[in-house]
Amino acid sequence: MGRQKIEIKKIEKKSSLEVTFSKRRTGLFKKAGELCVLCGAEAAVIVFSPGRRAFVFGHPSADAVIDRFLHRETNSRALVPAGQVHGHVQRQYLEALGRLEVKKEQEETVGEMGRFRGSLEELRKKVADRVEEMTMMMMMESGPSSTAMVEYAAPPQEYNSSGGVLHGHDLAAHGVPHGFDFGFGFDEHLF
Amino acid sequence: MGRQKIEIKKIEKKSSLEVTFSKRRTGLFKKAGELCVLCGAEAAVIVFSPGRRAFVFGHPSADAVIDRFLHRETNSRALVPAGQVHGHVQRQYLEALGRLEVKKEQEETVGEMGRFRGSLEELRKKVADRVEEMTMMMMMESGPSSTAMVEYAAPPQEYNSSGGVLHGHDLAAHGVPHGFDFGFGFDEHLF
DNA sequence: TAGCCTATCTATAATAG
DNA sequence: TCTATTATAGATAGGCT
């Protein structure tokens, strides 16, 4: 879909890579949104730029979809292009459970409040400084009532909340991953 | 992009919806894969079909990307499509306030709370005033190696396991948002 | 049986460079 | 912005569970 055909291999020229990343990311999110609207599907797209910034799209929200995925509300069948999927979802679940146990005991209301306040304080400051540059993304015209697209980009240590608290990711809290099954391999039509 | 243009609204005819879902999902995964290869990005796409089956694409793996996202290895900046920003940010604000109210009663940090709330008020106003102009951006350099595409759809009971390493998604554990950061704005060269 | 997903072909809308 | 290339609507058929 462009003036000329390109090979699907890493773009070396940095400037081109940046432009392509931006355009394609936008297109990807748009496509995801359209899929949700057209088919009544729910989807989440997480993209980390080479610069390590995270861009997220979600309908009804990335967190909701991720939770659902992690909770394995569905069954599985797989399609794996390169062989390597085998995953770790379970381990993650188990580990998450372990962490939860610990965290729950360690974190007291007061502690949470302190961190919460600090985070918001920081947020407030950054927003004040940067708001000028922010712009809204208008992807799909009449998207579903709840579609969110966000770019996350906080220091590794800082826990980002945009979804976190508000939506509560107690993924590990309930249930157990179900139906993890890598059925068939996938392929050609992928690339 | 087809025999004829279509409106982006829910497809009513079930058979058409299914065909479209399948085709567009395939196209979405393909795009995600290309973005990863071309730009050295890492991405995960999770899609739940109306039939409730989960289809997942990930590079280097969906789990890896999700973990990274859940652990908030990066900072945040928001990008919300049309009109969703308000709801999102404000909801967070309101939720935060709500939590504050509760906490307030539970604890004795009234003084701090007051200031905190003031900060949130300020934040809320600024966000409300600027949201219309928000936009997103981002990018950068090099990337990874494997890609995985999977469709999950196994009976909840059949859980298979592996052990392991890993990250845990104990989001709820932290309970509180940290490092909430609307980072920077962004660069026109993004759009 | 019914429900849900995929394959193929072609004209054409959407878009990458 | 401009357009050659791509993605996909539509129609239909086949397949898996």
Side-chain angles (χ1 to χ4, degrees):
Chain A
M1 277 161 136
R3 280 298 189 76
Q4 68 182 42
K5 183 172 185 171
I6 61 162
E7 250 191 290
I8 301 301
K9 68 186 181 104
K10 181 155 186 182
I11 295 172
E12 297 304 333
K13 192 179 174 188
K14 199 171 181 180
S15 60
S16 297
L17 186 154
E18 290 171 1
V19 173
T20 295
F21 178 75
S22 182
K23 282 190 173 185
R24 281 180 173 258
R25 176 172 46 64
T26 298
L28 185 69
F29 284 7
K30 180 179 178 183
K31 291 284 187 188
E34 292 182 346
L35 178 63
C36 292
V37 175
L38 289 169
C39 309
E42 291 194 7
V45 181
I46 302 169
V47 180
F48 279 94
S49 69
R52 321 206 110 238
R53 263 191 280 205
F55 293 85
V56 180
F57 164 87
H59 172 77
S61 75
D63 292 330
V65 176
I66 291 170
D67 279 358
R68 190 173 167 187
F69 170 64
L70 295 175
H71 287 166
R72 292 294 185 284
E73 291 181 2
T74 50
N75 319 294
S76 85
R77 191 183 310 167
L79 307 170
V80 189
Q84 100 112 323
V85 168
H86 291 263
H88 315 104
V89 177
Q90 254 182 325
R91 305 178 198 158
Q92 298 184 331
Y93 163 71
L94 295 174
E95 205 185 66
L97 250 194
R99 278 167 174 261
L100 247 193
E101 298 300 336
V102 178
K103 294 293 183 182
K104 284 181 175 175
E105 292 177 44
Q106 300 181 322
E107 299 186 2
E108 294 291 281
T109 304
V110 176
E112 288 188 334
M113 273 321 287
R115 291 188 316 185
F116 186 25
R117 187 172 64 67
S119 297
L120 287 172
E121 265 303 293
E122 190 179 313
L123 164 61
R124 188 191 63 67
K125 290 174 184 169
K126 295 196 176 182
V127 169
D129 291 339
R130 301 295 199 156
V131 159
E132 329 290 323
E133 311 170 309
M134 304 169 86
T135 300
M136 214 163 76
M137 198 135 181
M138 318 280 279
M139 297 294 261
M140 31 233 112
E141 47 273 299
S142 63
S145 53
S146 55
T147 297
M149 203 163 149
V150 183
E151 188 220 330
Y152 291 85
Q157 315 78 49
E158 305 178 7
Y159 200 118
N160 184 326
S161 69
S162 54
V165 175
L166 318 172
H167 310 306
H169 303 277
D170 49 325
L171 308 183
H174 341 294
V176 176
H178 298 351
F180 198 89
D181 160 49
F182 295 92
F184 20 51
F186 189 66
D187 39 89
E188 55 283 328
H189 68 278
L190 271 194
F191 279 96
Chain B
M1 264 159 138
R3 288 299 185 79
Q4 81 180 49
K5 181 173 185 170
I6 61 163
E7 252 190 290
I8 301 301
K9 67 187 182 80
K10 181 154 185 176
I11 295 171
E12 297 304 332
K13 192 179 173 189
K14 203 172 181 184
S15 59
S16 297
L17 187 153
E18 289 169 2
V19 172
T20 295
F21 176 75
S22 181
K23 288 194 212 176
R24 281 179 172 261
R25 177 171 45 66
T26 298
L28 185 69
F29 283 9
K30 181 179 176 181
K31 288 287 192 184
E34 292 182 347
L35 178 62
C36 291
V37 174
L38 289 170
C39 309
E42 290 194 9
V45 180
I46 301 170
V47 181
F48 279 93
S49 71
R52 324 208 101 235
R53 258 191 286 199
F55 293 84
V56 180
F57 164 87
H59 172 78
S61 76
D63 291 330
V65 176
I66 292 171
D67 278 355
R68 190 173 166 186
F69 170 64
L70 294 177
H71 285 178
R72 298 293 189 281
E73 292 182 1
T74 47
N75 316 301
S76 84
R77 189 181 315 162
L79 305 171
V80 186
Q84 291 308 308
V85 172
H86 287 289
H88 197 61
V89 177
Q90 287 191 7
R91 185 167 57 247
Q92 296 185 332
Y93 163 71
L94 293 174
E95 259 190 271
L97 254 194
R99 281 170 172 264
L100 269 183
E101 296 297 346
V102 177
K103 297 295 182 183
K104 191 176 179 181
E105 294 176 42
Q106 303 178 323
E107 305 174 2
E108 304 293 42
T109 49
V110 180
E112 278 189 49
M113 275 340 218
R115 293 190 317 184
F116 185 23
R117 293 185 60 176
S119 296
L120 285 173
E121 253 319 286
E122 191 182 332
L123 163 61
R124 189 191 64 69
K125 289 174 183 168
K126 293 192 177 184
V127 170
D129 290 340
R130 302 296 202 143
V131 156
E132 330 287 324
E133 313 171 311
M134 300 168 86
T135 302
M136 65 202 253
M137 52 158 300
M138 288 15 309
M139 44 257 350
M140 265 7 179
E141 62 240 9
S142 72
S145 32
S146 51
T147 301
M149 200 162 150
V150 186
E151 187 217 331
Y152 292 85
Q157 309 74 48
E158 304 177 12
Y159 193 25
N160 179 348
S161 114
S162 55
V165 169
L166 304 204
H167 351 325
H169 307 279
D170 50 325
L171 308 185
H174 299 69
V176 182
H178 291 3
F180 196 89
D181 159 41
F182 283 96
F184 9 12
F186 99 23
D187 314 295
E188 48 292 312
H189 66 282
L190 276 195
F191 278 90

